[in-house]
Amino acid sequence: MKDIAQRAGVSESAVSFALNDRPGVSEVTRDRVRRVAEQLGWRPSTAARALSGEGSATVGLVLARPAATLGVDSFFLQLISGIQEILSERQLGLLFQVVEDVHAECAVYRRWWAEHRVDGVLVVDPRTADPRPGLLDELGLPAVVIGALPGDDGPAPHPGLSQVRADDAGAMAAIVGRLHGLGHRRIAHIAGLPSLAHTERRIRSLRIEAERYGLAEARSLPTDYSDTQGAEVTRRVLAEPRPPTALIYDNDVMAAAGAAVTTGLGFGVPEDVSIVSWEDSALCGLVRPWLTALSRDPVAFGRIAAGELAALLDGGAARTVHVPLPTLIERQSTAAARD
């Protein structure tokens, strides 16, 4: 600041006012100071800004999932890509951390808040019994929940948190409706982690649609999202006396593993068993047969969430945003049921 003041011919206090957009200097002086600062390669110190209460220019994202499953999950890679697009435009940094469970995640939020490390956070994987919204309310830390908190789309239980909601129930209804139309009556849903709110909504939607169509043998089986458990559950259900004729997997990795197990056991896909992946990705077009999948846009999901957090940081009100219902892209892994 001393160097800038000397070259611009002003006081150090005038430099501070100009660079921090505070009143006290004319626009002519402000422009001159900024030009000199640019020539000298000056950039604001985020640490100093945080200590002075001006913000860290950083937002946080914590993932409480097994690290082994994240390495093969294309959804999160694309989600973070979309988030980063918006943060880069706003010159905001992303502080990212992977932890073992939601309690460790809450501890990270407390530490970040106490150390002024982040201005706000993006929250993923809402739980059925979730301690994070209440904690973020208590800390006063701006946050956007990616997914949807438990409960129906009524008044927000945490008015300080924005939500970007996906219609998991509607997506499941669309899948079941299409499989029923193809004649499938025995449907198994190879689900994700049972503690997640979106898993609970998908399971509940399957149950509702099963009652609607009279599908007494439709059910959900939770996993950890890994290819290992996806394959294991597939092997188990196909060994039953009356195996399912259709399998719905909660991600593309489990669907690919399930397809390999199915054909390895001598079942034809889709002649004997139809397969649907909840997530679409390049993987769905690399395996044979090509997998029918829900086509979502995780990159756009990330952009929307980051944009909502930026709006909160600008002083905007919390709100709920709905992403479009995903489209079912039918490929070679689904066909009419034989029985």
Side-chain angles (χ1 to χ4, degrees), residues 4-292:
I4 295 172
Q6 289 177 349
R7 183 170 296 194
V10 298
S11 66
E12 290 183 37
S13 60
V15 173
S16 177
F17 291 151
L19 295 180
N20 290 291
D21 285 324
R22 293 174 178 169
V25 295
S26 68
E27 287 303 315
V28 172
T29 299
R30 194 184 307 276
D31 290 342
R32 184 165 72 251
V33 168
R34 287 177 173 172
R35 284 198 302 272
V36 171
E38 184 68 26
Q39 292 167 4
L40 293 176
W42 175 86
R43 292 293 183 272
S45 166
T46 55
R49 289 174 64 87
L51 288 172
S52 65
E54 296 178 19
S56 64
T58 302
V59 301
L61 172 62
V62 184
L63 294 183
R65 280 199 183 189
T69 65
L70 290 175
V72 294
D73 195 326
S74 64
F75 176 84
F76 276 111
L77 295 176
Q78 294 179 71
L79 180 76
I80 293 172
S81 176
I83 289 170
Q84 190 59 45
E85 281 188 32
I86 300 302
L87 296 185
S88 296
E89 292 174 3
R90 294 290 301 263
Q91 296 186 334
L92 293 171
L94 178 64
L95 185 57
F96 176 70
Q97 189 163 341
V98 177
V99 296
E100 292 184 0
D101 54 40
V102 73
H103 300 294
E105 181 176 343
C106 287
V108 170
Y109 292 148
R110 291 190 184 93
R111 186 175 71 253
W112 283 353
W113 173 81
E115 296 174 353
H116 304 285
R117 297 286 299 278
V118 298
D119 298 329
V121 295
L122 295 157
V123 180
V124 298
D125 289 341
R127 264 64 175 179
T128 52
D130 203 325
R132 296 172 298 174
L135 172 63
L136 294 170
D137 283 345
E138 176 188 330
L139 299 177
L141 197 58
V144 174
V145 178
I146 301 176
L149 293 172
D152 297 326
D153 190 15
H158 301 277
L161 276 64
S162 287
Q163 296 186 55
V164 181
R165 296 182 68 106
D167 187 359
D168 291 285
M172 178 60 82
I175 294 173
V176 175
R178 178 55 182 151
L179 291 175
H180 179 267
L182 289 171
H184 293 280
R185 301 297 180 262
R186 300 193 301 278
I187 300 173
H189 168 214
I190 315 301
L193 294 164
S195 60
L196 301 183
H198 68 255
T199 303
E200 192 276 334
R201 280 192 294 272
R202 295 174 191 181
I203 292 173
R204 185 174 68 241
S205 179
L206 175 64
R207 188 166 56 246
I208 291 171
E209 297 306 311
E211 292 177 0
R212 182 200 309 275
Y213 294 116
L215 307 177
E217 296 180 76
R219 79 274 200 197
S220 297
L221 302 101
T223 71
D224 65 355
Y225 280 113
S226 70
D227 56 337
T228 301
Q229 287 200 10
E232 179 184 325
V233 174
T234 302
R235 197 172 288 109
R236 188 167 73 240
V237 298
L238 292 181
E240 296 171 352
R242 286 172 54 82
T245 64
L247 300 171
I248 305 169
Y249 292 88
D250 262 6
N251 68 17
D252 53 342
V253 174
M254 290 199 299
V261 168
T262 302
T263 56
L265 291 173
F267 292 89
V269 178
E271 296 81 10
D272 302 310
V273 181
S274 285
I275 290 178
V276 178
S277 168
W278 195 278
E279 300 293 347
D280 194 12
S281 71
L283 181 60
C284 294
L286 294 175
V287 300
R288 292 293 183 271
W290 293 346
L291 300 179
T292 293

Side-chain angles (χ1 to χ4, degrees), residues 325-336:
L325 188 71
T327 303
L328 185 64
I329 305 298
E330 297 195 51
R331 300 191 179 100
Q332 299 169 344
S333 67
T334 49

